[in-house]
């Protein structure tokens, strides 16, 4: 008598017999042993104290170290498109069973039956098969512009969370290999997006992991900028904790008035005096003629930004995820209070998306663990894909309710494949026959991005950037990034700049002069979309 297979819970870790015991942080995230608890590494208490006076005393802006163009105080209007990336750690499936990926002719250029089987689709539910439950007579869904398989769990999750955003969303898929089960893939594009001009009014980069990239996967080494290291945010308490005068409010007799102001003014003056007395000039660096002044302007700017933060968000409830009825509300919220309180991934995603969409942060990374789901069944992966879709859809919907465009990029380290076996228990649980996930396979990997614009649905230039072989494997010669993760990141950044009509600036000295994407003509084939309708002069109108 066959032993009944036990189902793996949504939050249960994945114990693979063909993997070693997880010992590193990244291995634990990929297999779901480690999720998100947080310590916010943001503006320090002293930095906040030292700057409140500056918001009150305009004379501080007369300093030789003040540079309005660098500081960009009060950055809210005239900003770039908010950007969020989802780092699904472990090697999630995107191609075929979620986003359709075809041959050289695009998403509808069918692969072989064996190729689709490798991507988890048995013959009865191939994209162009007859679907008795759909008016289109196939298994293709175009409601998000980008073509998904109609039975995609990620699509179902997006549609559960997003309703307002659906009509004005579109996207592109990028078939590209990356190594399985490793954080050494330089997948994360946030530093490059920051260099392309996206900044927040309080923080520039945030991420749900305390890492150099803000996520599980690395950022390309040549793009790292120590001045922009991400602040960790993965729960609602982190958002309200951005603005806090700490112990000063308890040790002063009149903490809400002149005492706090007096202390901050004095600390500001001490800092000015110290900056004037220090010379950080390093000889022999012709590329930076005045590093001393540049450093002092940078320090001064950060103090100013902290001061503006405290002035703008004197009431921390304005940053409270739970107080935002668009996000948490039993009637009209993206999440009900019960499901929000009961799922740490929802809380994490909501915290990042609020800060990014509201312009408080520029870019954000949301890492979700447990996507190394080749567990010999299909239900485990479907449940996790559904939750990822819920979080992706929440970001789209929140942007729509805030009348703000957004770009969402979804990637994973490697991918999975199927040997075509069907599990009857999975079929009964899912209501449709799907193949089990058998093991890791980097050749079936891809990434995709979605773009929402409140003015109109973005117009497609290339819905699929690159293609797959009939066997269901990435054609590694199709694009520069198809077999090079660094160039995949450059492709994503190029596409982000194109949404602002700035793709022509990509290879200039101020941006990415040493890129590997080829000439301007060759780069046109790497663009999913051109300038969005809501963009004027390179920023949100």
């Amino acid at each position: 008598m066959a032993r009944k297979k036990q189902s793996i819970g949504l939050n249960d870790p994945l114990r693979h017999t063909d993997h070693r015991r997880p010992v590193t942080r990244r291995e634990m995230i990929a297999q779901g042993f480690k999720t998100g608890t947080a310590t916010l590494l943001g503006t320090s208490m002293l930095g906040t104290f030292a700057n409140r006076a500056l918001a009150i005393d305009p004379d501080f802006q007369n300093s030789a170290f003040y540079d309005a163009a660098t500081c960009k105080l009060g950055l809210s209007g005239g900003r770039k498109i908010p950007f969020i990336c989802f780092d699904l750690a472990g090697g999630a499936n995107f191609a075929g069973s979620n986003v359709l990926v075809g041959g050289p002719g695009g998403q509808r250029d069918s692969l072989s039956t064996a190729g689709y089987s490798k991507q988890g689709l048995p013959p009865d539910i191939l994209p162009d098969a007859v679907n008795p439950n759909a008016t289109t007579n196939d298994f293709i869904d175009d409601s998000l512009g980008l073509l998904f398989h109609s039975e995609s769990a990620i699509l179902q999750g997006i549609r559960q969370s997003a309703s307002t955003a659906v009509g004005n969303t579109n996207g592109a898929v990028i078939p590209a290999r990356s190594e399985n089960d490793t954080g050494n893939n330089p997948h994360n594009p946030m530093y490059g997006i920051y260099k392309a001009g996206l900044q927040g009014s309080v923080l520039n980069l945030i991420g749900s992991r305390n890492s150099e990239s803000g996520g599980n996967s690395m950022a390309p080494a040549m793009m790292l900028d120590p001045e922009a290291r991400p602040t960790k945010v993965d729960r609602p308490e982190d958002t309200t904790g951005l603005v806090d005068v700490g112990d000063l409010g308890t040790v002063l007799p009149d903490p809400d008035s002149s005492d706090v102001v007096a202390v901050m003014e004095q600390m500001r003056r001490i800092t000015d005096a110290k900056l004037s007395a220090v010379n950080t000039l390093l000889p022999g660096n012709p590329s930076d003629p005045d590093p001393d002044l540049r450093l002092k302007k940078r320090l001064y700017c950060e103090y100013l930004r902290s001061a503006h933060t405290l002035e703008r968000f004197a009431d921390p409830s304005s940053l409270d995820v739970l107080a935002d009825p668009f996000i948490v509300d039993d009637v009209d919220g993206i999440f009900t209070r019960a499901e929000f309180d009961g799922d740490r991934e929802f809380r994490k995603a909501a915290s990042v998306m609020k800060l990014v969409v509201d312009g408080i942060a520029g870019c954000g990374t949301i890492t979700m663990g447990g996507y190394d789901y080749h567990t010999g069944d299909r239900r485990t992966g479907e449940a996790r894909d559904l939750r990822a879709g819920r979080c992706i859809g929440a970001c789209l919907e929140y942007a729509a309710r805030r009348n703000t465009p957004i770009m969402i990029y979804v990637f994973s380290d490697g991918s999975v494949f199927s040997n075509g076996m069907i599990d009857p228990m999975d079929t009964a649980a899912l209501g449709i026959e799907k193949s089990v996930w058998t093991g890791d396979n980097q050749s079936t990997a891809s990434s995709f991005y979605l773009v929402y614009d409140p003015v109109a649905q973005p117009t497609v230039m290339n819905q699929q950037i690159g293609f797959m072989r009939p066997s269901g494997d990435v054609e590694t010669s199709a694009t520069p990034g198809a077999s090079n993760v660094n160039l995949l990141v450059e492709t994503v950044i190029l596409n982000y700049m194109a949404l602002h009509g700035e793709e022509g600036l990509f290879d200039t000295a101020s941006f990415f002069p040493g890129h590997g994407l080829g000439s301007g003509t060759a780069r046109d084939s790497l663009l999913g979309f051109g300038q969005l309708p809501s963009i004027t002069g390179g920023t949100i109108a």
Side-chain angles (χ1 to χ4, degrees):
M1 181 174 177
R3 195 170 90 181
K4 186 176 180 181
K5 184 189 297 182
Q6 290 233 322
S7 178
I8 299 175
L10 183 58
N11 296 307
D12 291 346
L14 308 177
R15 296 175 170 86
H16 296 304
T17 57
D18 58 344
H19 287 27
R20 70 174 186 176
R21 291 171 63 91
V23 294
T24 68
R25 174 182 60 82
R26 290 189 174 97
E27 289 170 345
M28 289 182 180
I29 294 171
Q31 295 182 40
F33 284 88
K34 187 178 181 69
T35 54
T37 56
T39 300
L40 181 65
L41 302 177
T43 304
S44 70
M45 183 176 71
L46 273 182
T48 304
F49 290 172
N51 295 296
R52 177 59 175 154
L54 184 58
I56 297 172
D57 188 348
D59 287 343
F60 285 126
Q61 297 186 38
N62 297 325
S63 170
F65 306 133
Y66 176 66
D67 186 342
T70 300
C71 293
K72 297 182 180 179
L73 299 182
L75 186 67
S76 56
R79 62 186 176 116
K80 300 290 187 179
I81 298 167
F83 181 92
I84 294 175
C85 53
F86 280 82
D87 184 346
L88 304 187
N93 160 263
F94 299 137
S97 290
N98 282 301
V99 181
L100 297 184
V101 181
Q107 286 189 282
R108 292 184 183 271
D109 185 1
S110 298
L111 308 179
S112 68
T113 299
Y116 282 126
S117 177
K118 182 184 291 185
Q119 297 177 357
L121 298 176
D124 287 348
I125 60 169
L126 296 185
D128 55 359
V130 175
N131 184 351
N133 299 319
T135 56
T136 57
N137 293 325
D138 58 28
F139 285 91
I140 298 174
D141 186 291
D142 64 356
S143 59
L144 294 175
L146 180 66
L147 302 183
F148 281 77
H149 194 281
S150 63
E151 299 300 319
S152 158
I154 289 179
L155 173 67
Q156 293 171 20
I158 291 173
R159 292 180 65 86
Q160 284 182 27
S161 293
S163 55
T164 312
V166 168
N168 282 18
T169 299
N170 214 327
V173 62
I174 312 175
R177 292 175 52 161
S178 65
E179 295 296 325
N180 294 314
D181 298 339
T182 174
N184 295 327
N185 292 307
H187 259 302
N188 196 296
M190 284 209 303
Y191 285 98
I193 300 294
Y194 166 72
K195 188 173 183 180
L198 179 57
Q199 297 184 359
S201 62
V202 177
L203 301 167
N204 291 317
L205 307 181
I206 60 174
S208 60
R209 303 302 310 172
N210 183 20
S211 65
E212 199 72 37
S213 67
N216 178 62
S217 291
M218 298 167 59
M222 63 283 197
M223 293 184 184
L224 292 175
D225 182 350
E227 295 180 344
R229 193 180 193 278
T231 295
K232 183 180 177 184
V233 173
D234 78 344
R235 57 182 179 177
E237 292 82 358
D238 292 343
T239 65
T240 54
L242 287 174
V243 183
D244 185 2
V245 298
D247 292 339
L248 192 62
T250 62
V251 300
L252 295 176
D254 190 9
D256 296 325
S257 185
S258 59
D259 287 342
V260 172
V261 173
V263 170
M264 292 182 175
E265 285 180 341
Q266 284 304 110
M267 295 185 73
R268 175 67 263 173
R269 292 186 177 98
I270 291 171
T271 301
D272 287 345
K274 291 292 185 181
L275 283 176
S276 299
V278 172
N279 187 340
T280 62
L281 183 61
L282 299 176
N285 186 11
S287 64
D288 192 352
D290 197 347
D292 181 69
L293 181 60
R294 184 177 64 85
L295 176 60
K296 290 174 179 178
K297 284 185 175 181
R298 178 71 186 192
L299 290 171
Y300 201 89
C301 174
E302 292 307 315
Y303 280 120
L304 281 168
R305 287 167 64 86
S306 296
H308 175 74
T309 298
L310 190 57
E311 182 181 45
R312 180 181 174 192
F313 301 107
D315 179 8
S317 66
S318 60
L319 299 169
D320 189 356
V321 175
L322 291 169
D324 190 328
F326 285 161
I327 299 176
V328 183
D329 186 86
D330 286 342
V331 178
D332 296 320
I334 297 171
F335 302 108
T336 66
R337 183 60 189 257
E339 65 184 2
F340 187 81
D341 288 345
D343 196 308
R344 56 181 175 262
E345 300 291 5
F346 292 166
R347 295 167 66 83
K348 178 196 303 179
S351 301
V352 172
M353 79 183 186
K354 179 170 178 62
L355 295 184
V356 172
V357 173
D358 288 358
I360 298 160
C363 313
T365 293
I366 299 169
T367 296
M368 300 179 70
Y371 284 81
D372 192 16
Y373 49 50
H374 54 87
T375 51
D377 69 348
R378 191 59 180 261
R379 287 165 293 165
T380 300
E382 295 290 293
R384 296 179 191 214
D385 284 354
L386 180 70
R387 182 160 67 176
R390 286 290 314 270
C391 294
I392 295 166
C395 295
L396 290 169
E397 182 66 13
Y398 187 63
R401 296 187 183 196
R402 290 296 188 193
N403 199 39
T404 301
I406 192 171
M407 178 176 177
I408 298 173
Y409 176 54
V410 187
F411 62 88
S412 188
D413 48 330
S415 187
V416 290
F417 81 101
S418 174
N419 63 5
M421 185 181 75
I422 305 297
D423 187 336
M425 292 178 61
D426 288 348
T427 300
L430 300 174
I432 193 168
E433 187 176 271
K434 292 185 178 183
S435 306
V436 303
W437 295 122
T438 309
D440 295 316
N441 191 330
Q442 64 186 22
S443 295
T444 61
S446 64
S447 301
F448 70 95
Y449 70 85
L450 297 170
V451 179
Y452 167 78
D453 190 291
V455 176
Q457 185 181 51
T459 302
V460 174
M461 295 173 64
N462 295 289
Q463 198 95 63
Q464 179 177 290
I465 302 169
F467 61 92
M468 285 193 161
R469 301 164 185 161
S471 62
D473 302 311
V474 174
E475 175 50 68
T476 55
S477 65
T479 66
S483 59
N484 186 316
V485 180
N486 282 292
L487 300 185
L488 171 62
V489 169
E490 290 185 0
T491 302
V492 174
I493 298 166
L494 174 67
N495 276 266
Y496 178 79
M497 293 181 70
L499 299 180
H500 301 83
E502 296 178 341
E503 66 275 16
L505 301 175
F506 184 76
D507 56 2
T508 61
S510 299
F511 293 96
F512 307 97
H515 71 85
L517 300 184
S519 65
T521 302
R523 292 199 305 270
D524 288 346
S525 64
L526 304 178
L527 298 179
F529 304 92
Q531 181 174 319
L532 294 188
S534 62
I535 297 297
T536 300
T539 60
I540 299 173

